[in-house]
Amino acid sequence: MEVDKDFVTRLPKAELHAHLTGSVGRQTLHDVWLQKRADGQCEDLEDPLIAINPGMDFVDVMSFFPLFDTYVYALLNDVASIKYAAKRVIEEFAADGVVYLELRTTPRECIETGLTKDDYVQAVNSVIAEANAASIKDGFRNIEVRLLLSIDRKMTAEQAMEVIDLASKYQFTPKTSSCGSQKTTSGQVVGVDLCGNPIRGDVALFTPAFRRAKDLNLSITIHFAEVPQSGTIKELQVILSWEPNRLGHVVHVPSEIKEVLKQRKIGLELCLSCNVLARLTTGGYEMHHFREWSMTENPIALSTDDVGIFGSPLSNEYLLAAHYFKLGSQQLIDLSRSAALATFAGKERLIRLIDQFQSKYNIETNGEISGDK
């Protein structure tokens, strides 16, 4: 089957590294901006359709963070706007052929609107719960969505523990009914993350929080060696002592740490467009470390990171991988299956959907059904 936009969109995919606020599209932000302007708010804030250019290139990763601190958070600062944005984000991922989505977000508060961190998590959690319920039609689930709560590197140890408390409160816990079928609670949190400006803070401060996360059976994913300053052996050894299930970015990893990752076969979240456009890597797409890691036994999940900013949906990340690393349709199917192995929930369903796609792909390549089915 030809690798084109239709193929990569139809391919069942898992998105495992998507920040909620960074995934909000310009049009969604524009809608929120218009509503707030009508209410007499955000009058000094520029229209998102002008302020944010899809696929915008940054001077470096440090020029990326102010966009959130001074712009996106100013718009998404109450329950109504957060719910609206989260719903739109899920819809857009589903339209792109994402059948399993882990959204990550840092619990936030806003004194001006009275928003508490619990309010924030409850709002996102409720939208995800509603999306999961609504996506089941005729016994088939269109998309499964779960939530990751992030600890920001600028937090104190106490604030980090608050995040773990919230993750525990809204933790996803499958339950088995008397007839053996799976039932779930309303909680959607399956894991926790460490994110934020990679040159800030000492990660050792968060060791108690991540150890508690392990005790609570919460999965762990970490932004790992994004920049040279956060790629020191000392820092990475501390992070690995938390026994993370997955790692994100893995750009500036010393050779001895690479060997540890290979031995443990830790799942890797690799973000092509983000790394290139935010200048985390040197050179273009063809120089991305995807090539190196694709030759290991580590599960790899191509991811978008911040599709609202970088303008590259997950289907396009698969197209980029196909183009720059000469991957055929079968290799892309295998890549999607690799991502499925790294999910924190929904693994069996996702692999089943990929297998079904694989079976149809095999029939199509044998010429037994038409290519437009």
Side-chain angles (χ1 to χ4, degrees), residues 42-276:
C42 301
E43 295 183 347
D44 59 342
L45 209 60
E46 191 176 20
D47 186 343
L49 294 178
I50 298 173
I52 301 176
N53 300 311
M56 59 196 305
D57 198 353
F58 292 87
V59 174
D60 55 37
V61 69
M62 301 310 160
S63 63
F64 169 77
F65 292 102
L67 182 65
F68 291 92
D69 293 335
T70 62
Y71 194 88
V72 179
Y73 297 157
L75 284 171
L76 306 181
N77 62 357
D78 55 44
V79 168
S81 62
I82 291 163
K83 281 189 170 184
Y84 176 73
K87 183 174 185 293
R88 289 286 295 272
V89 165
I90 293 170
E91 291 171 346
E92 288 167 7
F93 273 115
D96 190 46
V98 173
V99 296
Y100 178 84
L101 168 64
E102 290 178 10
L103 277 177
R104 63 184 68 190
T105 193
T106 304
R108 292 190 291 109
E109 59 188 355
C110 181
I111 297 174
E112 291 78 6
T113 64
L115 179 77
T116 67
K117 292 178 182 178
D118 191 281
D119 292 337
Y120 180 88
V121 176
Q122 184 178 43
V124 177
N125 186 86
S126 66
V127 170
I128 291 176
E130 291 168 6
N132 283 330
S135 72
I136 301 176
K137 297 178 181 178
D138 300 322
F140 176 77
R141 183 191 293 276
N142 180 39
I143 186 171
E144 178 176 356
V145 189
R146 300 301 169 196
L147 181 59
L148 307 177
L149 294 188
S150 299
I151 293 171
D152 193 296
R153 292 176 64 118
K154 67 184 179 183
M155 288 181 174
T156 64
E158 293 74 18
Q159 290 170 329
M161 202 62 79
E162 287 178 22
V163 175
I164 303 301
D165 289 340
L166 286 168
S168 177
K169 179 177 180 179
Y170 292 96
Q171 187 168 1
F172 171 71
T173 308
K175 291 186 177 180
T176 304
S177 67
S178 58
C179 62
S181 61
Q182 290 291 311
K183 300 174 66 177
T184 64
T185 63
S186 59
Q188 305 299 318
V189 176
V190 293
V192 290
D193 166 42
L194 178 68
C195 69
N197 189 327
I199 67 172
R200 295 191 63 169
D202 178 1
V203 296
L205 185 72
F206 306 121
T207 294
F210 282 101
R211 285 181 177 166
R212 180 157 180 262
K214 274 291 182 184
D215 291 340
L216 291 168
N217 293 317
L218 288 162
S219 295
I220 296 174
T221 180
I222 305 292
H223 283 64
F224 194 80
E226 286 179 271
V227 297
Q229 297 94 316
S230 64
T232 66
I233 291 177
K234 179 182 177 181
E235 173 166 318
L236 302 185
Q237 285 178 333
V238 170
I239 291 173
L240 290 175
S241 74
W242 304 339
E243 300 180 348
N245 305 85
R246 292 198 314 256
L247 300 171
H249 296 298
V250 295
V251 183
H252 300 277
V253 185
S255 57
E256 64 185 83
I257 300 296
K258 286 182 182 179
E259 291 306 311
V260 177
L261 306 191
K262 293 174 184 177
Q263 290 169 10
R264 295 191 188 182
K265 299 179 182 178
I266 297 176
L268 307 177
E269 307 151 1
L270 302 185
C271 309
L272 301 177
S273 293
C274 162
N275 292 171
V276 173

Side-chain angles (χ1 to χ4, degrees), residues 1 359-371 373:
M1 184 182 295
S359 297
K360 182 176 180 181
Y361 161 75
N362 286 338
I363 294 172
E364 289 181 347
T365 56
N366 289 332
E368 296 178 22
I369 66 174
S370 63
K373 290 288 185 179

Side-chain angles (χ1 to χ4, degrees), residues 307-324:
V307 64
I309 307 300
F310 299 115
S312 178
L314 188 56
S315 60
N316 190 60
E317 295 298 293
Y318 274 77
L319 274 182
L320 289 170
H323 175 73
Y324 286 102

